[in-house]
């Protein structure tokens, strides 16, 4: 009899949860079902995504209001755990992320609402609200990678779009407004005290009331006589969609398996900047892998750093390759012949900026000592750098004088973007380098990581190299392009030379060229101008 006890216990536990959920709020359930039947004759229900098969003369786009559930109708994944893990890791640190991971079995056992409240408390409790930038600097990238193309196409048919969600509004608002062009976002507000999050959301009823108030105001104006709802059956009842919508498109969990991802080209706003250390979506299995790798990865990073600092290039390069580093070099043969003509000045290498290790990888690739000039460099990185480094002061005359002196001593490498960019885009090139030399060599650089990003805008920059070399197999691609002439040896201005070098590097890498600057990046990601004292 004792051996059957676990089975009896499991059965009664399941029965209790089933009955408890049904009886938890019978009045609300009765009200929702009553609304549904009351509007049964007026509301058209469709199976998602049957939007393409609507009548040939649907209401005008400018007269249509589209309501959609973020979790049920927009995101392909049915799990919110990865997004809260990103908040825990990026805003709270490693310990908070580990605590959330340990609680994952508990989250699977409790109800959906209780699991959501638990994740919110673990991730937000004690976090300073004013400095919370994960919602607009980190999460948009991962949300965009999980957006369904079918829903985005449906949203384009609406004159005004409204997204509603059960998760905190600070997590989704920037992603919906900035990158999908959603007009209004209804989410649950976080409670604060003394400028810090308490880890508690406002009652779910408030967000429902907010959605109904917004819909009522729009209908009262008469601007949108036709209202379309996109959600699951459960969500449509909870948010009383049948009492407001003319058409409702119901989404089933099985429908999401066939949905397609939105391509980068179809974003309303291109994703150029994003922050955070994690380079992967932290699902439970991926998070487990990360925590198992951390002790070994930290030890491996110390070994890699020691090899790079103490051994010469010819020895360190093959050894680092066997530790997981991958370096690919594509040299330009025409540069070998030009070495004979150089006499007084060194060669100026101009490369795009992917990580702080760009000059170091270029030095390893060319097997020669270089001097790197950069706009901002932490003291730790400056002390540990195996090549010479110099800081730029942002004073054009002083920086030009320093670069001229360094070129008279040997070869120099500069990253005129002034900051790193993770995505396949190039920022505006500062034109100062065009006046420094007539022997300018563009270098196209690209890096790939699988676990941690080696750059940050809001974190500790001194840890950037450490996070990069902690990756299992970090890789770099270096393409040395044909040399170009500077201002003194051509009829072009320094701006034209800088734009030409940017376009050459962009074409070699397949990257887009922008006019954005370091200041733009830090204003978006960190809320400051990125000036390091």
């Amino acid at each position: 009899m004792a051996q059957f006890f676990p089975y009896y216990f499991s059965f009664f536990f399941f029965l209790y949860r089933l009955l408890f959920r049904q009886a938890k709020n019978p009045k609300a359930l009765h009200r929702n079902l009553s609304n549904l039947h009351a509007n049964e004759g007026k509301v058209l229900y469709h199976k998602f995504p049957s939007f393409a098969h609507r009548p040939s003369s649907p209401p005008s786009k400018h007269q249509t209001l589209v309501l959609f559930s973020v979790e049920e109708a927009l995101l392909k994944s049915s799990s919110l755990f990865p997004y809260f893990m990103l908040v825990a890791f990026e805003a709270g640190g490693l310990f908070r992320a580990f605590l959330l991971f340990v609680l994952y079995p508990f989250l699977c056992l409790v109800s959906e609402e209780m699991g959501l409240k638990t994740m919110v408390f673990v991730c937000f409790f004690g976090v300073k609200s004013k400095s919370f930038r994960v919602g607009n600097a980190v999460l948009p990238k991962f949300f965009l990678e999980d957006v369904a193309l079918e829903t985005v196409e449906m949203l384009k048919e609406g004159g005004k779009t409204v997204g509603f969600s059960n998760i905190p509004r600070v997590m989704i608002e920037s992603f919906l407004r900035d990158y999908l062009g959603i007009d209004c976002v209804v989410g649950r507000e976080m409670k604060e005290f003394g400028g810090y999050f308490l880890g508690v959301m406002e009652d779910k009823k408030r967000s429902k009331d907010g959605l109904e108030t917004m819909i009522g105001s729009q209908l009262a104006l008469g601007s949108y006589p036709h209202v379309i709802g996109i959600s699951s059956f459960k969500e449509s009842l909870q948010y009383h969609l049948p009492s407001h919508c003319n058409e409702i498109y119901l989404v089933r969990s099985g429908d999401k398996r066939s949905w397609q991802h939105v391509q980068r080209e179809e974003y309303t706003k291109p994703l150029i900047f994003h922050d955070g250390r994690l380079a992967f979506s932290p699902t439970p299995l991926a998070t487990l892998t990360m925590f198992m790798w951390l002790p070994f990865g930290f030890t491996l990073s110390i070994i890699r750093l020691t090899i790079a600092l103490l051994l010469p290039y010819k020895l360190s390069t093959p050894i680092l390759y066997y530790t997981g580093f991958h370096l690919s070099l594509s040299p330009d043969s025409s540069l070998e012949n030009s070495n004979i003509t150089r006499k007084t000045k060194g060669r100026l290498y101009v490369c795009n900026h992917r990580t702080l290790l760009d000059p170091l990888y270029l030095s390893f690739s060319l097997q020669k000592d270089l001097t790197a000039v950069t706009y901002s460099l932490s003291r730790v990185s400056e002390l540990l750098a195996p090549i010479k480094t110099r800081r730029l002061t942002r004073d054009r005359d002083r920086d030009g004088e320093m670069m001229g002196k360094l070129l008279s001593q040997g070869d120099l490498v500069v990253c005129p973007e002034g900051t790193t960019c993770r995505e396949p885009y190039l920022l505006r090139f500062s034109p100062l380098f065009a006046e420094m030399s007539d022997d300018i060599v563009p270098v196209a650089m690209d890096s790939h990581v699988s676990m941690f990003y080696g750059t940050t805008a809001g974190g500790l920059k001194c840890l950037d190299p450490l996070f990069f070399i902690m990756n299992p197999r970090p890789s770099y691609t270096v393409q040395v392009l044909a040399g170009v002439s500077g201002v003194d040896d051509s009829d072009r201005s320094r701006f034209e030379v800088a734009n030409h070098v940017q376009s050459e590097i962009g074409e070699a890498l397949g990257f887009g060229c922008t006019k954005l600057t370091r200041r733009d990046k830090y204003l978006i990601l960190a809320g400051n101008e990125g000036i390091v004292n």
Side-chain angles (χ1 to χ4, degrees):
M1 183 68 180
Q3 61 181 346
F4 294 103
F5 178 78
Y7 299 100
Y8 287 122
F9 179 81
S10 301
F11 172 76
F12 284 113
F13 179 74
F14 171 78
L15 186 62
Y16 166 78
R17 287 190 63 194
L18 182 64
L19 294 176
F20 179 78
R21 285 186 177 182
Q22 293 294 330
K24 187 176 181 180
N25 196 355
K27 292 183 179 180
L29 180 62
H30 175 73
R31 181 178 66 251
N32 290 336
L33 290 176
S34 300
N35 288 340
L36 176 62
H37 291 298
N39 292 274
E40 198 171 22
K42 295 183 286 185
V43 181
L44 295 177
Y45 292 89
H46 304 279
K47 177 183 175 183
F48 186 90
S50 59
F51 200 78
H53 306 292
R54 299 180 70 201
S56 57
S57 58
S60 172
K61 172 181 177 179
H62 302 291
Q63 297 179 338
T64 303
L65 175 65
V66 179
L67 314 174
F68 68 95
S69 169
V70 175
E71 297 95 310
E72 301 294 338
L74 183 65
L75 302 179
K76 283 174 55 66
S77 174
S78 58
S79 174
L80 297 175
F81 179 83
Y83 307 113
F84 283 97
M85 176 57 70
L86 287 166
V87 175
F89 188 91
E90 305 295 352
L94 189 62
F95 175 76
R96 196 185 294 254
F98 183 74
L99 177 61
L100 180 62
F101 172 72
V102 170
L103 289 174
Y104 179 72
F106 170 77
L107 300 176
C108 296
L109 294 176
V110 299
S111 65
E112 181 179 342
E113 181 67 13
M114 177 59 69
L116 177 61
K117 291 180 178 179
T118 303
M119 289 191 293
V120 169
F121 182 80
V122 172
C123 296
F124 283 91
F125 178 75
V127 175
K128 196 172 183 179
S129 58
K130 190 175 181 180
S131 61
F132 182 81
R133 306 193 66 85
V134 177
N136 62 346
V138 179
L139 292 177
K141 172 185 181 296
F142 295 91
F143 277 130
L144 285 170
E145 292 174 351
D146 196 28
V147 167
L149 176 63
E150 288 79 359
T151 305
V152 173
E153 293 296 329
M154 294 179 71
L155 295 179
K156 292 179 181 179
E157 299 296 325
K160 185 170 186 177
T161 51
V162 179
F164 58 90
S165 173
N166 288 326
I167 64 178
R169 186 174 57 87
V170 292
M171 292 177 61
I172 59 172
E173 185 169 28
S174 177
F175 147 67
L176 292 175
R177 288 185 182 273
D178 297 340
Y179 295 96
L180 294 184
I182 304 304
D183 299 299
C184 185
V185 179
V186 179
R188 301 172 73 173
E189 300 292 339
M190 296 293 301
K191 294 184 179 181
E192 302 179 23
F193 180 79
Y196 292 85
F197 290 123
L198 296 178
V200 179
M201 297 181 293
E202 290 185 346
D203 190 69
K204 193 174 182 180
K205 185 177 183 300
R206 290 202 175 188
S207 62
K208 297 177 183 178
D209 294 340
L211 180 63
E212 292 191 4
T213 302
M214 191 279 302
I215 298 174
S217 63
Q218 295 295 329
L219 295 179
L221 294 174
S223 303
Y224 302 99
H226 194 78
V227 182
I228 297 175
I230 313 172
S231 181
S232 65
F233 180 74
K234 177 182 177 182
E235 289 284 299
S236 65
L237 293 180
Q238 289 181 349
Y239 283 89
H240 308 156
L241 294 188
S243 61
H244 301 294
C245 298
N246 304 100
E247 296 180 76
I248 295 181
Y249 293 83
L250 298 178
V251 181
R252 299 177 302 177
S253 57
D255 297 331
K256 294 188 175 185
R257 301 190 188 100
S258 60
W259 286 0
Q260 299 179 8
H261 290 283
V262 178
Q263 299 301 315
R264 179 186 298 273
E265 298 77 17
E266 299 185 28
Y267 295 167
T268 304
K269 173 185 174 183
L271 179 68
I272 301 177
F273 301 125
H274 64 88
D275 203 10
R277 291 295 188 185
L278 297 185
F280 63 96
S281 179
T283 61
L285 182 59
T287 305
L288 173 63
T289 304
M290 179 193 70
F291 282 116
M292 293 177 63
W293 169 259
L294 276 177
F296 180 74
F298 180 76
T299 305
L300 182 61
S301 66
I302 300 300
I303 296 174
R304 287 169 170 173
L305 181 62
T306 305
I307 293 173
L309 291 176
L310 300 181
L311 298 181
Y313 296 137
K314 291 185 178 180
L315 289 177
S316 62
T317 301
I319 295 176
L320 289 173
Y321 176 79
Y322 284 109
T323 66
F325 268 109
H326 179 71
L327 176 62
S328 175
L329 172 65
S330 300
D332 187 87
S333 57
S334 63
L335 296 176
E336 298 298 328
N337 300 327
S338 64
N339 285 331
I340 304 175
T341 62
R342 292 193 298 149
K343 294 181 180 180
T344 59
K345 277 192 173 184
R347 174 170 287 164
L348 180 59
Y349 292 94
V350 178
C351 62
N352 60 304
H353 208 2
R354 301 298 281 177
T355 74
L356 288 176
L357 301 178
D358 292 336
L360 184 59
Y361 268 95
L362 179 60
S363 181
F364 281 163
S365 302
L366 301 177
Q367 299 287 308
K368 63 166 63 175
D369 292 327
L370 299 173
T371 301
V373 291
T374 180
Y375 284 97
S376 62
L377 189 66
S378 68
R379 293 292 183 185
V380 175
S381 301
E382 193 172 8
L383 291 173
L384 294 179
I387 62 175
K388 296 179 182 179
T389 60
R390 294 292 186 272
R391 292 191 185 192
L392 295 174
T393 63
R394 301 185 185 276
D395 185 311
R396 184 170 174 273
D397 295 332
R398 291 176 58 187
D399 291 339
E401 182 181 353
M402 180 185 67
M403 291 177 65
K405 187 181 296 184
L406 293 173
L407 279 170
S408 64
Q409 299 172 2
D411 293 343
L412 187 66
V413 55
V414 62
C415 301
E417 288 177 287
T419 188
T420 57
C421 184
R422 299 174 178 177
E423 295 301 308
Y425 295 95
L426 299 179
L427 308 186
R428 183 180 68 84
F429 276 30
S430 175
L432 178 62
F433 72 89
E435 304 173 357
M436 294 296 101
S437 175
D438 292 329
D439 188 10
I440 299 174
V441 179
V443 181
M445 309 195 74
D446 197 10
S447 63
H448 295 281
V449 294
S450 57
M451 191 168 289
F452 304 110
Y453 284 116
T455 60
T456 182
L460 295 175
K461 297 189 72 66
C462 61
L463 298 180
D464 286 357
L466 178 64
F467 273 102
F468 183 83
I469 61 180
M470 278 180 62
N471 282 282
R473 293 187 62 85
S475 65
Y476 246 93
T477 301
V478 180
Q479 301 180 53
V480 181
L481 308 179
V484 299
S485 300
V487 173
D488 296 338
D489 198 23
S490 67
D491 297 331
R492 294 178 296 185
S493 67
R494 58 193 180 102
F495 298 102
E496 291 173 330
V497 173
N499 292 336
H500 173 70
V501 173
Q502 183 197 42
S503 63
E504 289 292 318
I505 295 177
E507 184 178 354
L509 294 172
F511 287 5
C513 296
T514 73
K515 294 182 179 180
L516 298 173
T517 64
R518 171 189 176 87
R519 181 175 180 272
D520 297 321
K521 171 187 170 180
Y522 277 86
L523 285 175
I524 293 173
L525 299 183
N528 58 63
E529 297 188 4
I531 298 176
V532 179
N533 296 323

